[in-house]
Amino acid sequence: MRIDDVVGQREAWARLMKMEQEDRIPHAMLICGPAGCGKMAVALAFASHLLGDSPLLHHWNHPDLHFTYPTIKGKSMGSEHQPVSDDYAVQWRQMLADGPYFTMEQWMGAMGADNQQAVITGAESDQIARELSLKPSQGGYKVCLVWLPERMNLTSANKLLKVLEEPPQHTVFVMVSEEPDKLIETIRSRTQRFAMRRIDTADIEAALVERRGLDPSMAHGIARVAEGNWNKALEAVDAGNENRMFFDLFTMLMRHAYARKVKELKKWSESVAAFGREKQKRMLTYFIRMVRENFMYNFHEPQLVYMTPEEEQFATRFAPFINEANVMELTDIFSRAIRDISQNANSKIVMYDITLRIIISLLRKP
């Protein structure tokens, strides 16, 4: 993988190349930045560069590249077995083959996870130590790329700390973190933080045109809505994606609530109550964004609004019903529902309660 496969982030790449030219590549670096900014893509391109862009990297099976990532305990695993990355190597390589931009939810789906928590186990750190103790087979660097190190359990973190304290020669740890503050301080102190920014809107727009074949005007609108997040841009491109479903559910909810169709609202609440809790929380988070965007739409300042063309078309009719008298109330309704769902409240009750509260909220006038 090369830097040309990365969306934007030329400034970040220039900093990495300068580090190499000045012989300042740290033995352990922690790549951080906003979701969807391409941290993993840049990490993969950098690892490829350090390993000489070998043809072995085309299928991500280079002997001097070790991947570590969160895993779950599969149903077929024995009671004493601690899952390690190699248990899911096939799924991982397939994920990378599909592209370097993916989310934890997508990775959980690839592993066939139900409601498990994905972690990096102590057994994984033992395996890292064993593999990195060997000399590089190609005579250059060995690279250990750790995705989401904050998901290491305490045993794993303490074992990895020992490796970082006495790193093997010619080894570079590249850690890609979404929540670096959740890493134990002793590991953070032994890594050099490499901060990345959101992708420039112009870079997302250009990539949508060149890589996805979008019409420039559509690409422009989606790029603004993405707010520097390539994953978010891809979601907007995919007509069958989850956000499209959430948009349909939002419009249905608001129309039924405005018309006070209690029977239809009960059917709505029962249908979304069947979703898993994580999906319900993502839906409610989307609803909060839609409330905010519809409220901002009323100010007639396009630069303040971040909606897809379809969302904006709905806002032309719906936005007037979101005003200073109810915008905070509606936001609070959805925020409290997220909290209740997180605390394992009955989903049917929570969702039906939402519908009734929204009926009242939409009646409020400024």
Side-chain angles (χ1 to χ4, degrees):
M1 178 173 171
R2 299 175 183 272
I3 185 58
D4 290 341
D5 299 315
V6 178
V7 177
Q9 298 299 357
R10 293 305 175 125
E11 181 273 336
W13 186 254
R15 282 190 283 138
L16 288 172
M17 293 301 97
K18 186 176 181 181
M19 288 167 56
E20 181 187 37
Q21 292 165 8
E22 297 176 353
D23 197 24
R24 293 188 297 107
I25 296 177
H27 78 276
M29 60 192 308
L30 184 64
I31 300 180
C32 313
C37 73
K39 298 183 292 295
M40 189 62 172
V42 168
L44 288 166
F46 188 52
S48 298
H49 177 76
L50 293 177
L51 295 172
D53 293 314
S54 167
L56 294 170
L57 292 162
H58 293 170
H59 300 289
W60 298 110
N61 55 5
H62 193 292
D64 294 330
L65 175 60
H66 177 82
F67 285 110
T68 286
Y69 36 84
T71 57
I72 60 169
K73 187 155 187 172
K75 295 176 182 178
S76 62
M77 296 177 184
S79 58
E80 300 299 318
H81 179 74
Q82 289 189 49
V84 294
S85 296
D86 281 354
D87 293 329
Y88 293 94
V90 173
Q91 293 91 331
W92 178 254
R93 290 196 179 102
Q94 181 58 56
M95 177 78 78
L96 294 181
D98 292 339
Y101 297 87
F102 50 85
T103 64
M104 188 61 194
E105 287 76 19
Q106 289 172 310
W107 175 232
M108 293 292 279
M111 288 191 292
D114 294 323
N115 293 317
Q116 303 106 307
Q117 290 288 331
V119 299
I120 297 175
T121 65
E124 177 70 26
S125 291
D126 291 336
Q127 186 157 319
I128 290 174
R130 285 194 300 270
E131 293 197 8
L132 298 185
S133 66
L134 302 174
K135 292 183 178 180
S137 66
Q138 306 296 308
Y141 284 105
K142 286 183 75 72
V143 179
C144 180
L145 203 164
V146 185
W147 183 55
L148 304 185
E150 59 267 29
R151 286 185 174 258
M152 289 186 290
N153 61 26
L154 188 57
T155 299
S156 177
N158 286 330
K159 288 182 176 181
L160 182 62
L161 178 60
K162 293 180 180 179
V163 180
L164 293 176
E165 288 174 337
E166 298 181 13
Q169 285 190 331
H170 309 296
T171 297
V172 176
F173 284 87
V174 181
M175 301 185 183
V176 180
S177 177
E178 294 287 349
E179 300 175 287
D181 292 342
K182 290 187 176 181
L183 268 168
I184 61 174
E185 172 58 30
T186 45
I187 286 184
R188 290 204 307 271
S189 66
R190 284 166 175 77
T191 62
Q192 181 173 320
R193 190 158 178 157
F194 185 84
M196 290 175 54
R197 298 183 303 219
R198 297 180 186 277
I199 306 171
D200 289 343
T201 299
D203 289 328
I204 291 183
E205 184 175 339
L208 289 172
V209 173
E210 295 166 8
R211 304 184 186 196
R212 298 286 166 163
L214 264 64
D215 175 85
S217 61
M218 180 176 290
H220 177 73
I222 290 176
R224 288 191 70 251
V225 171
E227 298 180 283
N229 185 330
W230 180 245
N231 289 331
K232 193 172 177 181
L234 293 181
E235 288 176 357
V237 170
D238 182 6
N241 75 83
E242 192 175 63
N243 275 0
R244 174 60 186 272
M245 179 199 304
F246 292 162
F247 171 70
D248 290 341
L249 289 169
F250 180 80
T251 58
M252 188 184 304
L253 169 62
M254 294 303 165
R255 284 167 175 157
H256 289 335
Y258 176 75
R260 304 181 201 177
K261 294 183 178 180
V262 177
K263 186 176 180 180
E264 296 300 323
L265 288 170
K266 189 172 188 300
K267 290 180 181 178
W268 182 95
S269 64
E270 290 173 349
S271 66
V272 297
F275 295 164
R277 291 186 182 276
E278 291 303 317
K279 186 173 182 178
Q280 289 170 356
K281 289 191 288 185
R282 293 196 300 272
M283 178 191 73
L284 293 166
T285 300
Y286 174 86
F287 287 2
I288 291 172
R289 184 179 76 80
M290 286 300 292
V291 168
R292 181 264 178 199
E293 296 301 336
N294 276 270
F295 179 66
M296 298 305 295
Y297 188 87
N298 292 316
F299 292 95
H300 305 291
E301 295 287 348
Q303 70 273 17
L304 300 177
V305 178
Y306 296 89
M307 288 190 281
T308 65
E310 190 174 24
E311 290 169 346
E312 192 165 348
Q313 184 178 3
F314 176 70
T316 60
R317 301 182 301 276
F318 176 68
F321 296 98
I322 307 297
N323 52 65
E324 56 268 29
N326 63 11
V327 62
M328 294 305 298
E329 182 179 13
L330 285 166
T331 300
D332 185 60
I333 288 171
F334 295 131
S335 297
R336 289 179 60 185
I338 292 173
R339 181 200 63 192
D340 292 342
I341 292 297
S342 299
Q343 295 176 351
N344 294 321
N346 185 294
S347 295
K348 287 186 178 181
I349 295 175
V350 172
M351 295 302 171
Y352 190 52
D353 181 64
I354 284 175
T355 66
L356 300 180
R357 290 178 181 273
I358 289 175
I359 290 176
I360 298 171
S361 188
L362 290 179
L363 294 174
R364 303 200 189 283
K365 305 295 181 183

